[in-house]
Amino acid sequence: MLRENLQKVKDRIEKACVKAGRNIDEVTLIAVSKTKPLSDIEELILCGTKEFGENKVQELVDKYENVSTPVNWHLIGHLQTNKVKYIVDKVSLIHSVDSLKLAKEIQKEAAKKNVIVNILVQVNVANEDTKFGLDTSEVLHLVNEISILPNIRIKGLMTIAPYVENPEDNRPYFKELKQLLLDIKSKNIDNVDMSILSMGMTNDYEVAIEEGATMVRVGTGIFGERNYNI
Ligand SMILES: *Cc1c(COP(=O)(O)O)cnc(C)c1O
């Protein structure tokens, strides 16, 4: 089942790339395994998946410690400063940095463990009250502030678009984030490469790819519906 789902998602990613005139190698699929058992992750690893996304620190750490083969872990959910110490040496990318306070904590813990941490700055492009992330107008300022922290590398931007019936409704937000990425990239800030644009989920990843996403985060499309009550 998971194998077929994964193949369907990959096929749709490929179609979206072709439609947009992009090379399929430019888009990384992150399998969002939150709430799903380790056995599902193991099955996907057998299918060749190496990138997994989790939104809770404890769950990420548990899975990190118990998985049979090392894979790359992405923290995609809100990160509290008191939990930074558990993950700085375990994640390949933190997608959800949205304050200087959090970045400074990451710097502190990364320095202690002598690691470099790759991060994205989370932007609330649609300005939703319910979402974490910065206002677009605040992003450049924060990027500049974080860029001087020696154990952090800013790799790009991330957004969680609104839940919409019609994925086309999110196209303007994806376009806006891509433009913001290019604007910041053009400033050539030291330590900031702006190569990653993490946007698009099960409902809208094809539109996100058409607008320049380099990472899509797909949960339901691969693993099926989540049950939060178990
Ligand atoms: C849960 C989650 C996803 C995946 O959502 P689906 O709609 O199941 O694909 C992607 N990004 C973030 C930040 C999430 O929390």
Side-chain angles (χ1 to χ4, degrees):
M1 191 60 191
L2 292 189
R3 182 180 288 272
E4 283 91 59
N5 290 350
L6 177 68
Q7 195 51 53
K8 275 185 203 144
V9 171
K10 284 185 174 170
D11 289 345
R12 286 170 59 179
I13 289 175
E14 189 173 346
K15 278 209 187 90
C17 285
V18 169
K19 186 174 169 197
R22 298 184 61 196
N23 190 320
I24 174 158
D25 303 338
E26 291 170 30
V27 180
T28 302
L29 170 62
I30 298 173
V32 177
S33 46
K34 64 189 186 196
T35 79
K36 297 296 175 179
L38 201 58
S39 56
D40 281 4
I41 293 173
E42 298 290 357
E43 196 177 331
L44 277 183
I45 292 174
L46 291 177
C47 303
T49 303
K50 293 194 178 66
E51 313 294 327
F52 290 89
E54 290 287 338
N55 69 341
K56 294 213 165 78
V57 167
Q58 185 60 52
E59 194 173 341
L60 188 153
V61 171
D62 283 348
K63 287 171 173 169
Y64 173 96
E65 283 170 352
N66 291 300
V67 75
S68 63
T69 323
V71 291
N72 297 323
W73 294 98
H74 297 254
L75 186 79
I76 59 176
H78 179 63
L79 177 56
Q80 288 170 292
T81 48
N82 62 345
K83 303 231 169 113
V84 168
K85 56 178 174 288
Y86 303 117
I87 55 144
V88 279
D89 56 345
K90 298 186 176 64
V91 285
S92 50
L93 186 64
I94 299 174
H95 292 231
S96 48
V97 176
D98 62 359
S99 71
L100 184 60
K101 178 168 169 255
L102 176 58
K104 281 183 167 166
E105 184 65 20
I106 294 170
Q107 167 58 34
K108 190 178 105 199
E109 295 299 328
K112 270 192 209 164
K113 295 197 165 76
N114 198 22
V115 292
I116 300 287
V117 181
N118 294 321
I119 66 145
L120 305 178
V121 171
Q122 182 175 351
V123 188
N124 185 357
V125 196
N127 246 312
E128 290 180 289
D129 291 343
T130 52
K131 297 259 162 76
F132 291 103
L134 292 177
D135 231 66
T136 44
S137 62
E138 303 166 327
V139 177
L140 179 60
H141 183 67
L142 182 66
V143 166
N144 271 311
E145 286 180 318
I146 297 176
S147 70
I148 58 169
L149 302 175
N151 292 63
I152 296 184
R153 297 285 177 276
I154 303 180
K155 306 300 264 183
L157 304 177
M158 175 271 217
T159 197
I160 304 174
Y163 183 78
V164 289
E165 286 288 321
N166 181 359
E168 284 297 328
D169 295 348
N170 281 335
R171 191 180 291 276
Y173 300 128
F174 295 144
K175 255 193 213 313
E176 192 177 340
L177 196 66
K178 168 81 193 219
Q179 191 54 52
L180 184 61
L181 184 98
L182 292 176
D183 289 349
I184 296 173
K185 192 175 187 157
S186 73
K187 312 250 186 259
N188 288 318
I189 305 163
D190 280 351
N191 267 339
V192 177
D193 74 14
M194 286 291 145
S195 57
I196 299 178
L197 197 51
S198 170
M199 58 187 194
M201 307 177 17
T202 296
N203 195 41
D204 56 17
Y205 64 88
E206 288 145 304
V207 174
I209 289 169
E210 286 169 31
E211 296 304 330
T214 70
M215 278 187 182
V216 292
R217 310 176 307 264
V218 179
T220 313
I222 297 173
F223 296 95
E225 295 291 334
R226 283 177 295 274
N227 181 353
Y228 288 96
N229 303 318
I230 48 173

